[in-house]
Structure formats: structure tokens, C-alpha cells
Amino acid sequence: MNMTFAAPCIFGLEGICANELKFLGIQNVRAENGRVLFEGDWDTLAKANIRSRYAERIQILLAEFRATDFQTLFERVKAIEWERFIGMSDAFPVKGRCLSSQLMSVPDCQKIIKKAVVTRLSERYMLSWFEETGSARQIQFLILKDKVSILLDTSGAGLHKRGYRADSNDAPIKETLAAAMVELARVRPNHFVTDPMCGSGTLLIEAAMKAKNIAPGLKRYFACEKWSCVPKDVFARERELAQSQIRTDISFRASGSDIDASALETARHNAELAGVGDLIAFERRDIRDFQLSEGYQTVITNPPYGERLLDLRAAEELYKVMGEKFRREKGKSYTVITPDDDFEKLFGRKADKRRKLYNGTLKCQVYLFLS
Ligand SMILES: C[S@@+](CC[C@H](N)C(=O)[O-])C[C@H]1O[C@@H](n2cnc3c(N)ncnc32)[C@H](O)[C@@H]1O
């Protein structure tokens, strides 16, 4: 069965997300604002869920149409072949968003869509009441500038939940964003990677997982694995293949340090859970005592921003320290994310590359300093 899928992603990461899906051999990949669309079958769906490092979730795009009134919304949703995905006893909650559209009431759109699905399924199954006691099919809708997308979520928990971060410190970076920073820093399986403000270690863990080619979704489940329409073995097959492709022949090494001893405990624990504990050494150190290593070194870090952990002035003091410590030297590169527009001034150097993106709701930039 050929389907169209949507992979919502962090704004600013559409290109990286699309390239990854293309690299996985997926067809008709096209990047849009905040999401990537692609085509495929159930195998494609399993592959994207298990292997994408940058997508927030994978949805089946069931219909796209223009609607400015409830009647059109109802008719178009009712026309979808819901019975292909939803069985008689399955649950099918509806949620979504309306942005810059004539249909702006989320609760009303939710009700209309639910009614349309119930009407369709009542006709197909000859039922007037749905118990909804079975596994869930989360219906999602997006109405953007009067264009309606009707989607079925297949992931369940967001794909940033890899299964290794049970514990978290105060301000962990989202795994999908950490993976994107690793990609922007061009980390390779023979690199030595350092994060001198590593917190719970997310950047280093994502770097090590990528170097080892550990699929990010290998250790978790996806909502659609419970669906009767999904062939039994697709996820098992993809997991087996991904497991067999883990690399053991790499010279990748990483070191993480932080001023906070409890964050380091968490980092060690998370690295073990992620299967990369042997590749990363953690130790307690103030960035003021940071020393560059001999030879090639890729530094990636997510320093405090001021809003959340320290006051802005203290954070900015740290950016000056980083500028002194992160010297321009052959073989060294530095990748830093911060929302502070004065970062380059405080750091004392103009970045060689910059990328705008969002860290949650915070507009940030990733700054790349090359040797
Ligand atoms: C935004 S958090 C990093 C979060 C991390 N990327 C993660 O995923 O958990 C910033 C980190 O900087 C650390 N930090 C603050 N001041 C520091 C200093 N002077 N030296 C080293 N680390 C420091 C904090 O303890 C905190 O863990």
C-alpha cells in the first residue's frame, strides 16, 4: 500500500531531515515549512520511525484540501477510507491546530472531524456506538491558511524519546536538536568530540550513537505497532537490520565535563542506557579550567542561556570564557547553540557558519567556528 507520510521537525531543520530520509533510500522526499513529506509503504514507515534522528514524529497524511466552512471539512474527512486504519473497537481521539485560517476554533474542528469519522465508520461497520476500548489511532489535523491536513500519528511518544533519557537535569537539549547539532558539526566515526558543559550528556550521546550507527528508535516502541493494519513483522525486520548495522570498528571517542556533579551522574547513566557508555569519559570540571586536547577535536556545546539556569550576565561571562578557551587552531572546530544575539561579540570572533533554528520556543542560532 503506497502512502504519503509527514515528518514534522524543528523549524530550521527541514533540509537536514529531508536529506536523512533521502539517504535512507526513501522516495519523493520534499521539505516544507516545519515538516518533510515522503512516500512509501509500511516498511518505509517502520524505517522512518526507527531511524530518523531529526523527525519529531511520523504521520500518515490521509488528505489535504482547502476548507473555509464546516460542511466542507465534514464531507472531506468523511470521504477518507478510515476503515483501512481503524477497527470496530479501536480508539480514535482527535487533536490539532488552526493557524491563520477562517476555521479557527480548535474544539469545533475537533468535533466536526470526530463526527465525520464516526459517520463514516458507522456506515461501514453498521454500528451506532463505538466503545473505543482498543488501541489508539491518534487523528491529528493542521489547518494552516485554510489548507487542511488530516493525519494519523504512527509514533506515539515523540521521536526525541529514544529510550535512554529516563533522568534529566534542569535544561536538557532535545535529542532531535542535539542530533542536528552533531550533523551540523560534521561529526565522523573517527572523531574526538568534547562538550565542556555537557549536563546530562545528550550532545555526546547523540554524537556517539551516530558514529556507531545506532538507530535512535531501536530501543522504543511506536504506537502503530499495535495496529492490525500494520503487517506483523515490519518493525521486527527493521529493528533486526538496524541492529546488524551497528558499527564496532570505529575510533570515535568523546569527553564530557560539567560543573554539576549530579548532572554528570545522569550523563553516565544515560550513556550506558544508550549503549555508548564505553565511548564517553565524563568528569567534573569548571569550563574556566578547560584545556584543548592535542590534535583533532570537535567541540559541541549547549551553554546556559541566562533565562533558565543563570542570570544573563553570568551566562555572558561564560561566553567570554569560551572565547578564550576555544582557540582558533588547526584541527579544532566549535559548534555552539545560544539565543543570545551578542554571542559572537562576547566570544570575540565571527562564526564561519550560522544556522537559525528553534530550541523549544526559543529562537536560537547554531554558531560554527572552524579552524
Ligand atoms: C543548558 S545546560 C546543558 C544541557 C545539556 N546539553 C543536556 O542535554 O543536558 C548547561 C550546562 O552548563 C553547566 N555549567 C554552568 N556553568 C558551568 C561552568 N562554569 N563550567 C562548566 N559547566 C557549567 C550547567 O551545570 C549545565 O549542565
mmCIF file of all heavy atoms in Angstrom, residues 242-279:
data_model
loop_
_atom_site.group_PDB
_atom_site.id
_atom_site.type_symbol
_atom_site.label_atom_id
_atom_site.label_comp_id
_atom_site.label_asym_id
_atom_site.label_seq_id
_atom_site.Cartn_x
_atom_site.Cartn_y
_atom_site.Cartn_z
ATOM 1 N N ALA A 242 18.648 -2.906 11.564
ATOM 2 C CA ALA A 242 19.352 -1.773 12.200
ATOM 3 C C ALA A 242 20.366 -2.298 13.216
ATOM 4 O O ALA A 242 21.490 -1.808 13.296
ATOM 5 C CB ALA A 242 18.350 -0.837 12.866
ATOM 6 N N GLN A 243 19.968 -3.306 13.975
ATOM 7 C CA GLN A 243 20.867 -3.903 14.984
ATOM 8 C C GLN A 243 22.122 -4.461 14.312
ATOM 9 O O GLN A 243 23.244 -4.266 14.795
ATOM 10 C CB GLN A 243 20.103 -5.015 15.725
ATOM 11 C CG GLN A 243 20.852 -5.660 16.870
ATOM 12 C CD GLN A 243 21.006 -4.740 18.080
ATOM 13 O OE1 GLN A 243 20.076 -4.024 18.424
ATOM 14 N NE2 GLN A 243 22.183 -4.734 18.679
ATOM 15 N N SER A 244 21.940 -5.108 13.157
ATOM 16 C CA SER A 244 23.076 -5.732 12.469
ATOM 17 C C SER A 244 24.002 -4.686 11.853
ATOM 18 O O SER A 244 25.130 -4.999 11.476
ATOM 19 C CB SER A 244 22.573 -6.692 11.388
ATOM 20 O OG SER A 244 22.046 -5.938 10.302
ATOM 21 N N GLN A 245 23.514 -3.450 11.728
ATOM 22 C CA GLN A 245 24.330 -2.407 11.091
ATOM 23 C C GLN A 245 25.078 -1.532 12.094
ATOM 24 O O GLN A 245 25.733 -0.565 11.714
ATOM 25 C CB GLN A 245 23.440 -1.546 10.175
ATOM 26 C CG GLN A 245 22.976 -2.343 8.962
ATOM 27 C CD GLN A 245 21.905 -1.627 8.156
ATOM 28 O OE1 GLN A 245 21.247 -0.726 8.660
ATOM 29 N NE2 GLN A 245 21.729 -2.024 6.908
ATOM 30 N N ILE A 246 24.978 -1.868 13.385
ATOM 31 C CA ILE A 246 25.724 -1.104 14.396
ATOM 32 C C ILE A 246 27.215 -1.346 14.179
ATOM 33 O O ILE A 246 27.642 -2.488 13.988
ATOM 34 C CB ILE A 246 25.302 -1.521 15.818
ATOM 35 C CG1 ILE A 246 23.853 -1.092 16.069
ATOM 36 C CG2 ILE A 246 26.225 -0.902 16.878
ATOM 37 C CD1 ILE A 246 23.282 -1.523 17.400
ATOM 38 N N ARG A 247 27.980 -0.262 14.184
ATOM 39 C CA ARG A 247 29.419 -0.398 13.905
ATOM 40 C C ARG A 247 30.214 -0.593 15.188
ATOM 41 O O ARG A 247 29.965 0.054 16.194
ATOM 42 C CB ARG A 247 29.912 0.854 13.171
ATOM 43 C CG ARG A 247 29.318 0.973 11.793
ATOM 44 C CD ARG A 247 29.882 2.163 11.073
ATOM 45 N NE ARG A 247 31.335 2.073 10.922
ATOM 46 C CZ ARG A 247 32.044 2.937 10.228
ATOM 47 N NH1 ARG A 247 31.446 3.940 9.612
ATOM 48 N NH2 ARG A 247 33.349 2.803 10.135
ATOM 49 N N THR A 248 31.165 -1.498 15.108
ATOM 50 C CA THR A 248 32.025 -1.730 16.270
ATOM 51 C C THR A 248 33.480 -1.387 15.924
ATOM 52 O O THR A 248 34.363 -1.459 16.757
ATOM 53 C CB THR A 248 31.960 -3.203 16.723
ATOM 54 O OG1 THR A 248 32.159 -4.010 15.576
ATOM 55 C CG2 THR A 248 30.643 -3.530 17.374
ATOM 56 N N ASP A 249 33.692 -0.997 14.655
ATOM 57 C CA ASP A 249 35.052 -0.780 14.159
ATOM 58 C C ASP A 249 35.457 0.685 14.171
ATOM 59 O O ASP A 249 36.302 1.110 13.404
ATOM 60 C CB ASP A 249 35.117 -1.280 12.695
ATOM 61 C CG ASP A 249 34.100 -0.541 11.817
ATOM 62 O OD1 ASP A 249 33.104 -0.016 12.364
ATOM 63 O OD2 ASP A 249 34.318 -0.472 10.593
ATOM 64 N N ILE A 250 34.849 1.484 15.032
ATOM 65 C CA ILE A 250 35.108 2.926 14.952
ATOM 66 C C ILE A 250 36.121 3.375 16.014
ATOM 67 O O ILE A 250 36.268 2.736 17.055
ATOM 68 C CB ILE A 250 33.799 3.742 15.134
ATOM 69 C CG1 ILE A 250 33.109 3.394 16.462
ATOM 70 C CG2 ILE A 250 32.869 3.546 13.977
ATOM 71 C CD1 ILE A 250 32.052 4.371 16.877
ATOM 72 N N SER A 251 36.788 4.511 15.698
ATOM 73 C CA SER A 251 37.751 5.028 16.684
ATOM 74 C C SER A 251 37.196 6.247 17.403
ATOM 75 O O SER A 251 37.930 6.978 18.062
ATOM 76 C CB SER A 251 39.062 5.371 15.983
ATOM 77 O OG SER A 251 38.793 6.249 14.909
ATOM 78 N N PHE A 252 35.883 6.477 17.265
ATOM 79 C CA PHE A 252 35.226 7.619 17.915
ATOM 80 C C PHE A 252 35.462 7.594 19.427
ATOM 81 O O PHE A 252 35.341 6.557 20.075
ATOM 82 C CB PHE A 252 33.721 7.560 17.634
ATOM 83 C CG PHE A 252 32.923 8.634 18.320
ATOM 84 C CD1 PHE A 252 32.620 9.825 17.672
ATOM 85 C CD2 PHE A 252 32.464 8.459 19.622
ATOM 86 C CE1 PHE A 252 31.885 10.814 18.298
ATOM 87 C CE2 PHE A 252 31.727 9.447 20.258
ATOM 88 C CZ PHE A 252 31.437 10.624 19.588
ATOM 89 N N ARG A 253 35.773 8.782 19.987
ATOM 90 C CA ARG A 253 35.860 8.921 21.447
ATOM 91 C C ARG A 253 35.266 10.280 21.821
ATOM 92 O O ARG A 253 35.278 11.203 21.019
ATOM 93 C CB ARG A 253 37.315 8.867 21.941
ATOM 94 C CG ARG A 253 37.943 7.478 21.896
ATOM 95 C CD ARG A 253 37.298 6.535 22.922
ATOM 96 N NE ARG A 253 37.790 5.172 22.801
ATOM 97 C CZ ARG A 253 37.294 4.238 21.995
ATOM 98 N NH1 ARG A 253 36.277 4.513 21.213
ATOM 99 N NH2 ARG A 253 37.799 3.031 21.969
ATOM 100 N N ALA A 254 34.780 10.386 23.039
ATOM 101 C CA ALA A 254 34.215 11.665 23.466
ATOM 102 C C ALA A 254 34.533 11.924 24.921
ATOM 103 O O ALA A 254 34.743 10.980 25.703
ATOM 104 C CB ALA A 254 32.705 11.665 23.257
ATOM 105 N N SER A 255 34.574 13.217 25.281
ATOM 106 C CA SER A 255 34.744 13.560 26.689
ATOM 107 C C SER A 255 33.750 14.665 27.042
ATOM 108 O O SER A 255 33.513 15.585 26.261
ATOM 109 C CB SER A 255 36.169 14.038 26.957
ATOM 110 O OG SER A 255 36.384 15.281 26.327
ATOM 111 N N GLY A 256 33.156 14.512 28.221
ATOM 112 C CA GLY A 256 32.182 15.489 28.676
ATOM 113 C C GLY A 256 32.555 15.969 30.058
ATOM 114 O O GLY A 256 33.006 15.182 30.898
ATOM 115 N N SER A 257 32.382 17.264 30.295
ATOM 116 C CA SER A 257 32.594 17.773 31.650
ATOM 117 C C SER A 257 31.508 18.790 31.976
ATOM 118 O O SER A 257 30.853 19.331 31.074
ATOM 119 C CB SER A 257 33.990 18.383 31.804
ATOM 120 O OG SER A 257 34.244 19.288 30.756
ATOM 121 N N ASP A 258 31.320 19.010 33.249
ATOM 122 C CA ASP A 258 30.292 19.934 33.727
ATOM 123 C C ASP A 258 30.654 20.298 35.165
ATOM 124 O O ASP A 258 31.351 19.538 35.854
ATOM 125 C CB ASP A 258 28.915 19.263 33.676
ATOM 126 C CG ASP A 258 27.769 20.275 33.685
ATOM 127 O OD1 ASP A 258 27.497 20.839 34.770
ATOM 128 O OD2 ASP A 258 27.146 20.495 32.633
ATOM 129 N N ILE A 259 30.145 21.428 35.615
ATOM 130 C CA ILE A 259 30.418 21.867 36.985
ATOM 131 C C ILE A 259 29.518 21.132 37.981
ATOM 132 O O ILE A 259 29.805 21.079 39.174
ATOM 133 C CB ILE A 259 30.232 23.408 37.060
ATOM 134 C CG1 ILE A 259 30.965 23.988 38.241
ATOM 135 C CG2 ILE A 259 28.763 23.809 37.058
ATOM 136 C CD1 ILE A 259 31.152 25.491 38.156
ATOM 137 N N ASP A 260 28.434 20.548 37.462
ATOM 138 C CA ASP A 260 27.400 19.946 38.300
ATOM 139 C C ASP A 260 27.580 18.421 38.377
ATOM 140 O O ASP A 260 27.353 17.704 37.387
ATOM 141 C CB ASP A 260 26.034 20.318 37.698
ATOM 142 C CG ASP A 260 24.862 19.716 38.445
ATOM 143 O OD1 ASP A 260 25.084 18.881 39.342
ATOM 144 O OD2 ASP A 260 23.724 20.069 38.110
ATOM 145 N N ALA A 261 27.986 17.931 39.561
ATOM 146 C CA ALA A 261 28.289 16.504 39.710
ATOM 147 C C ALA A 261 27.051 15.630 39.489
ATOM 148 O O ALA A 261 27.154 14.535 38.921
ATOM 149 C CB ALA A 261 28.857 16.243 41.102
ATOM 150 N N SER A 262 25.887 16.106 39.890
ATOM 151 C CA SER A 262 24.699 15.251 39.741
ATOM 152 C C SER A 262 24.305 15.124 38.266
ATOM 153 O O SER A 262 23.834 14.074 37.822
ATOM 154 C CB SER A 262 23.535 15.773 40.589
ATOM 155 O OG SER A 262 23.046 16.965 40.043
ATOM 156 N N ALA A 263 24.526 16.200 37.491
ATOM 157 C CA ALA A 263 24.246 16.115 36.046
ATOM 158 C C ALA A 263 25.153 15.062 35.411
ATOM 159 O O ALA A 263 24.731 14.303 34.530
ATOM 160 C CB ALA A 263 24.462 17.470 35.386
ATOM 161 N N LEU A 264 26.401 14.992 35.887
ATOM 162 C CA LEU A 264 27.352 14.019 35.330
ATOM 163 C C LEU A 264 26.941 12.583 35.645
ATOM 164 O O LEU A 264 27.119 11.681 34.822
ATOM 165 C CB LEU A 264 28.768 14.300 35.855
ATOM 166 C CG LEU A 264 29.382 15.588 35.315
ATOM 167 C CD1 LEU A 264 30.627 15.953 36.094
ATOM 168 C CD2 LEU A 264 29.697 15.456 33.828
ATOM 169 N N GLU A 265 26.382 12.384 36.845
ATOM 170 C CA GLU A 265 25.859 11.057 37.210
ATOM 171 C C GLU A 265 24.791 10.628 36.214
ATOM 172 O O GLU A 265 24.779 9.506 35.714
ATOM 173 C CB GLU A 265 25.232 11.105 38.623
ATOM 174 C CG GLU A 265 26.211 10.850 39.737
ATOM 175 C CD GLU A 265 27.044 9.598 39.475
ATOM 176 O OE1 GLU A 265 26.439 8.512 39.370
ATOM 177 O OE2 GLU A 265 28.276 9.710 39.350
ATOM 178 N N THR A 266 23.885 11.589 35.946
ATOM 179 C CA THR A 266 22.810 11.330 34.983
ATOM 180 C C THR A 266 23.398 11.025 33.602
ATOM 181 O O THR A 266 22.960 10.103 32.911
ATOM 182 C CB THR A 266 21.885 12.578 34.884
ATOM 183 O OG1 THR A 266 21.447 12.900 36.186
ATOM 184 C CG2 THR A 266 20.706 12.342 33.987
ATOM 185 N N ALA A 267 24.401 11.813 33.220
ATOM 186 C CA ALA A 267 25.017 11.639 31.899
ATOM 187 C C ALA A 267 25.605 10.234 31.755
ATOM 188 O O ALA A 267 25.402 9.559 30.740
ATOM 189 C CB ALA A 267 26.093 12.701 31.689
ATOM 190 N N ARG A 268 26.308 9.785 32.791
ATOM 191 C CA ARG A 268 26.913 8.446 32.752
ATOM 192 C C ARG A 268 25.840 7.375 32.603
ATOM 193 O O ARG A 268 25.963 6.454 31.798
ATOM 194 C CB ARG A 268 27.708 8.174 34.034
ATOM 195 C CG ARG A 268 29.041 8.864 34.051
ATOM 196 C CD ARG A 268 29.908 8.438 35.234
ATOM 197 N NE ARG A 268 30.987 9.397 35.382
ATOM 198 C CZ ARG A 268 31.000 10.398 36.259
ATOM 199 N NH1 ARG A 268 30.002 10.551 37.117
ATOM 200 N NH2 ARG A 268 32.016 11.240 36.300
ATOM 201 N N HIS A 269 24.789 7.538 33.394
ATOM 202 C CA HIS A 269 23.689 6.580 33.370
ATOM 203 C C HIS A 269 23.037 6.548 31.976
ATOM 204 O O HIS A 269 22.813 5.482 31.394
ATOM 205 C CB HIS A 269 22.674 6.995 34.448
ATOM 206 C CG HIS A 269 21.507 6.084 34.567
ATOM 207 N ND1 HIS A 269 21.638 4.786 34.999
ATOM 208 C CD2 HIS A 269 20.191 6.274 34.315
ATOM 209 C CE1 HIS A 269 20.448 4.212 35.006
ATOM 210 N NE2 HIS A 269 19.553 5.090 34.593
ATOM 211 N N ASN A 270 22.768 7.736 31.423
ATOM 212 C CA ASN A 270 22.124 7.816 30.107
ATOM 213 C C ASN A 270 23.014 7.201 29.015
ATOM 214 O O ASN A 270 22.525 6.511 28.124
ATOM 215 C CB ASN A 270 21.819 9.281 29.746
ATOM 216 C CG ASN A 270 20.696 9.861 30.587
ATOM 217 O OD1 ASN A 270 20.018 9.136 31.319
ATOM 218 N ND2 ASN A 270 20.496 11.163 30.505
ATOM 219 N N ALA A 271 24.316 7.480 29.103
ATOM 220 C CA ALA A 271 25.242 6.956 28.090
ATOM 221 C C ALA A 271 25.247 5.421 28.122
ATOM 222 O O ALA A 271 25.265 4.761 27.073
ATOM 223 C CB ALA A 271 26.641 7.510 28.324
ATOM 224 N N GLU A 272 25.205 4.849 29.326
ATOM 225 C CA GLU A 272 25.138 3.384 29.456
ATOM 226 C C GLU A 272 23.872 2.863 28.796
ATOM 227 O O GLU A 272 23.900 1.920 28.007
ATOM 228 C CB GLU A 272 25.143 2.966 30.939
ATOM 229 C CG GLU A 272 26.488 3.034 31.620
ATOM 230 C CD GLU A 272 27.554 2.175 30.952
ATOM 231 O OE1 GLU A 272 27.213 1.111 30.405
ATOM 232 O OE2 GLU A 272 28.726 2.600 30.945
ATOM 233 N N LEU A 273 22.727 3.510 29.155
ATOM 234 C CA LEU A 273 21.437 3.064 28.604
ATOM 235 C C LEU A 273 21.426 3.139 27.076
ATOM 236 O O LEU A 273 20.811 2.322 26.404
ATOM 237 C CB LEU A 273 20.291 3.934 29.140
ATOM 238 C CG LEU A 273 19.813 3.676 30.554
ATOM 239 C CD1 LEU A 273 18.672 4.633 30.904
ATOM 240 C CD2 LEU A 273 19.339 2.235 30.723
ATOM 241 N N ALA A 274 22.120 4.156 26.537
ATOM 242 C CA ALA A 274 22.137 4.342 25.083
ATOM 243 C C ALA A 274 23.119 3.396 24.393
ATOM 244 O O ALA A 274 23.174 3.349 23.164
ATOM 245 C CB ALA A 274 22.502 5.794 24.767
ATOM 246 N N GLY A 275 23.901 2.667 25.164
ATOM 247 C CA GLY A 275 24.847 1.705 24.577
ATOM 248 C C GLY A 275 26.148 2.348 24.130
ATOM 249 O O GLY A 275 26.870 1.790 23.294
ATOM 250 N N VAL A 276 26.471 3.544 24.668
ATOM 251 C CA VAL A 276 27.705 4.217 24.256
ATOM 252 C C VAL A 276 28.569 4.606 25.466
ATOM 253 O O VAL A 276 29.475 5.440 25.338
ATOM 254 C CB VAL A 276 27.398 5.472 23.384
ATOM 255 C CG1 VAL A 276 26.767 5.067 22.063
ATOM 256 C CG2 VAL A 276 26.478 6.462 24.120
ATOM 257 N N GLY A 277 28.281 3.994 26.606
ATOM 258 C CA GLY A 277 29.000 4.326 27.840
ATOM 259 C C GLY A 277 30.501 4.130 27.705
ATOM 260 O O GLY A 277 31.290 4.883 28.302
ATOM 261 N N ASP A 278 30.916 3.160 26.894
ATOM 262 C CA ASP A 278 32.345 2.878 26.747
ATOM 263 C C ASP A 278 33.063 3.907 25.880
ATOM 264 O O ASP A 278 34.299 3.952 25.849
ATOM 265 C CB ASP A 278 32.531 1.471 26.141
ATOM 266 C CG ASP A 278 31.792 1.321 24.821
ATOM 267 O OD1 ASP A 278 30.743 1.990 24.642
ATOM 268 O OD2 ASP A 278 32.261 0.555 23.953
ATOM 269 N N LEU A 279 32.311 4.752 25.183
ATOM 270 C CA LEU A 279 32.941 5.702 24.258
ATOM 271 C C LEU A 279 33.110 7.100 24.848
ATOM 272 O O LEU A 279 33.766 7.957 24.263
ATOM 273 C CB LEU A 279 32.107 5.823 22.968
ATOM 274 C CG LEU A 279 31.901 4.558 22.153
ATOM 275 C CD1 LEU A 279 31.138 4.867 20.880
ATOM 276 C CD2 LEU A 279 33.242 3.919 21.808
#
